[in-house]
Amino acid sequence: MASFQITGGRKLKGELIPQGAKNEALQILCAVLLTKEPITIHNIPGIRDVNQLIELLGDLGVWVTRTGESSYRFQASDVNLDYLETDTYKRKASALRGSVMLLGPMLARFKKGRIPRPGGDKIGRRRLDTHFLGFEKLGAQFNYDANDGGYYKVDASNLRGTYMLLDEASVTGTANILMAAVMAEGTTQIYNAACEPYLQQLSKMLNSMGAKITGVGSNLLTIEGVSELHGTEHTMLPDMIEIGSFIGLAAMTQSEITIKNCRIPELGIIPDQFKRLGIQMEFRGDDIFIPAQEHYQIESFLDGGMMTVADSPWPGFTPDLLSIVLVTAVQAQGTLLIHQKMFESRLFFVDKLIDMGAQIILCDPHRATVVGLNRQLPLKGIRMSSPDIRAGVALLIAAMSAKGTSIIDNIEQIDRGYQHIDTRLNAIGAEIIRL
């Protein structure tokens, strides 16, 4: 288990280039199984989850060629479905939650699929019902056999288009069903579909491969099935979660940072939510400039009520940034209520912030009230452990703003979602040592 040793209190100055979007990558990479023709993908982040998925595709028989620093060429012309029966596949796929999105392409192209229960962050229940209910409505039959090592087996020999109303606007569920539907016979309509930029990117890529998807960017997708898909070239968006993390980092550490090539129109309300914390920023073309700020004040609602930041499906505020907003509010002036609606364990890192000196009341598993310190007291360095990707980076931000030295254990969680975060931040003035 690796750790970060962080010397806090350093002000950063310089430019940061966001990596490719992790959540988009996991969908886009699974989609290469939909065709035997080559697909080139640019701006792929070099992070643990993505690298594991690329390795898994290679094990399945996909030809993988690195063509640039963040570009790869994939060709799934000779997929070995027998690999799905191996213990190696079970071990690798069960360790990676994104592996569940291999099912949709498998069902579309090969009419069958098999996947173990996937892993991922320990942030609460993350059910797969939406995925399988959608597959069933397309005509697939699935079986979960705990006696067979805990595999989901799916037979999709007769996929037909249909209308479905999803029980939740699941991002991965929508992506999985969409990839299965593009080669189903007839027309499929998915209502209450997730419409995050990741889904829009996946839809654009599939359309460039020959799919017929309309309603992209809305919660009603219409898919006219086609018999085959072709190769394409696709460039991924910058990671909006990393961009938001850098905004929070700049405010907490009183740093002057320019975040380059942000694709600002694709960020939705993310910049506005950080502005509500009192954080100044300037849009310079497609870059975001955050000046060094000694103080930033949380706004109140128009009626004087306490500001609340809550997560909701796109175009609402992404749950992946609530941990960052929470930690950024620790040194703000004012009080903020964080309402994490989607995952009941995602706020269970605030005890570590409290140990550092933060004033936070954990109201229940879904809500926390942050009373900003307004820099009257610095956080103090402690030893702690990263429970998940986003909490890990929130703790890293806290440690970088603290007085003294902190150690964060289990940084493999951070590496799952942030590419070389220590070396990139050290290049603009941080002092982070990987132990």
Side-chain angles (χ1 to χ4, degrees):
M1 181 183 296
S3 303
F4 280 153
Q5 178 180 296
I6 304 106
T7 301
R10 292 185 172 272
K11 296 182 180 181
L12 315 184
K13 186 172 183 178
E15 296 180 349
L16 291 168
I17 300 174
Q19 66 191 25
K22 166 187 177 284
N23 290 342
E24 179 186 342
L26 298 178
Q27 300 175 22
I28 295 296
L29 290 172
C30 292
V32 305
L33 290 174
L34 285 165
T35 180
K36 62 183 179 181
E37 297 181 15
I39 293 177
T40 299
I41 304 175
H42 303 292
N43 202 28
I44 295 177
I47 55 178
R48 183 175 298 238
D49 276 14
V50 170
N51 292 337
Q52 287 179 343
L53 184 54
I54 292 174
E55 180 181 327
L56 189 58
L57 288 169
D59 292 343
L60 273 166
V62 178
W63 290 96
V64 181
T65 306
R66 191 164 186 167
T67 59
E69 183 178 351
S70 59
S71 299
Y72 286 80
R73 183 175 182 267
F74 302 89
Q75 187 162 3
S77 55
D78 190 22
V79 175
N80 177 21
L81 295 180
D82 292 337
Y83 177 70
L84 302 179
E85 309 290 333
T86 66
D87 290 338
T88 303
Y89 169 70
K90 179 184 178 182
R91 174 175 52 82
K92 290 185 176 182
S94 61
L96 177 66
R97 185 162 189 84
S99 64
V100 71
M101 285 183 289
L102 293 169
L103 263 185
M106 286 182 191
L107 303 186
R109 185 173 166 201
F110 304 111
K111 309 306 178 186
K112 62 180 179 179
R114 178 180 167 94
I115 194 129
R117 289 182 65 90
D121 284 329
K122 306 304 180 186
I123 57 176
R125 290 182 292 271
R126 305 174 75 181
R127 58 191 179 87
L128 298 174
D129 301 52
T130 302
H131 301 246
F132 292 117
L133 290 172
F135 294 150
E136 280 189 320
K137 290 193 174 183
L138 289 172
Q141 297 178 332
F142 79 94
N143 179 54
Y144 176 68
D145 188 352
N147 297 322
D148 187 27
Y151 273 99
Y152 292 101
K153 302 176 185 177
V154 190
D155 174 22
S157 54
N158 190 26
L159 288 186
R160 293 184 180 276
T162 187
Y163 169 85
M164 66 182 77
L165 173 61
L166 301 187
D167 61 334
E168 62 170 348
S170 164
V171 176
T172 55
T174 301
N176 225 352
I177 297 165
L178 177 64
M179 289 188 282
V182 290
M183 295 171 69
E185 182 180 342
T187 299
T188 300
Q189 285 191 305
I190 307 174
Y191 198 24
N192 195 29
C195 55
E196 272 78 354
Y198 318 128
L199 261 303
Q200 297 178 40
Q201 286 285 100
L202 175 64
S203 298
K204 291 172 185 176
M205 174 179 164
L206 294 174
N207 280 342
S208 72
M209 295 168 66
K212 296 180 179 179
I213 305 167
T214 56
V216 177
S218 75
N219 66 349
L220 177 60
L221 295 175
T222 301
I223 307 103
E224 184 181 338
V226 297
S227 59
E228 63 177 349
L229 296 177
H230 307 285
T232 191
E233 188 168 353
H234 178 80
T235 300
M236 291 174 36
L237 291 174
D239 196 309
M240 63 182 180
I241 312 304
E242 191 171 70
I243 292 169
S245 301
F246 291 155
I247 295 172
L249 168 68
M252 273 288 277
T253 59
Q254 303 178 67
S255 299
E256 181 183 300
I257 291 176
T258 299
I259 310 171
K260 303 289 290 183
N261 307 323
C262 294
R263 295 285 293 273
I264 293 171
E266 306 292 340
L267 296 178
I269 66 171
I270 289 172
D272 291 333
Q273 288 287 45
F274 282 99
K275 288 178 181 178
R276 293 168 81 181
L277 300 185
I279 299 172
Q280 300 172 23
M281 64 185 76
E282 299 174 18
F283 295 162
R284 298 178 173 178
D286 207 24
D287 303 339
I288 299 177
F289 171 75
I290 302 102
Q293 291 177 247
E294 185 175 355
H295 298 284
Y296 48 101
Q297 182 172 352
I298 299 170
E299 295 178 2
S300 299
F301 285 121
L302 292 177
D303 63 359
M306 182 194 306
M307 178 59 62
T308 300
V309 176
D311 59 334
S312 60
W314 190 269
F317 192 61
T318 172
D320 284 343
L321 278 174
L322 277 186
S323 301
I324 307 301
V325 169
L326 187 151
V327 75
T328 305
V330 165
Q331 285 294 4
Q333 178 181 346
T335 304
L336 180 71
L337 175 64
I338 297 288
H339 192 172
Q340 167 60 267
K341 299 175 182 177
M342 298 176 69
F343 302 109
E344 69 272 16
S345 304
R346 210 165 200 171
L347 297 180
F348 286 174
F349 73 100
V350 301
D351 59 323
K352 302 170 180 64
L353 297 177
I354 293 170
D355 289 344
M356 298 178 78
Q359 295 186 353
I360 303 173
I361 301 167
L362 185 59
C363 309
D364 55 46
H366 291 277
R367 295 178 301 160
T369 300
V370 185
V371 181
L373 297 171
N374 194 25
R375 304 206 195 277
Q376 294 180 4
L377 292 171
L379 298 182
K380 61 179 183 291
I382 64 169
R383 185 162 199 149
M384 45 197 161
S385 181
S386 171
D388 65 73
I389 298 174
R390 310 308 175 188
V393 170
L395 295 176
L396 177 62
I397 292 171
M400 291 177 66
S401 73
K403 182 179 181 180
T405 300
S406 297
I407 293 178
I408 303 177
D409 299 317
N410 194 29
I411 60 167
E412 288 82 1
Q413 288 286 355
I414 299 174
D415 289 337
R416 287 180 51 216
Y418 293 81
Q419 176 178 337
H420 310 309
I421 190 67
D422 48 338
T423 55
R424 294 160 70 200
L425 294 179
N426 285 342
I428 61 171
E431 187 174 336
I432 305 169
I433 300 172
R434 184 179 289 261
L435 304 177

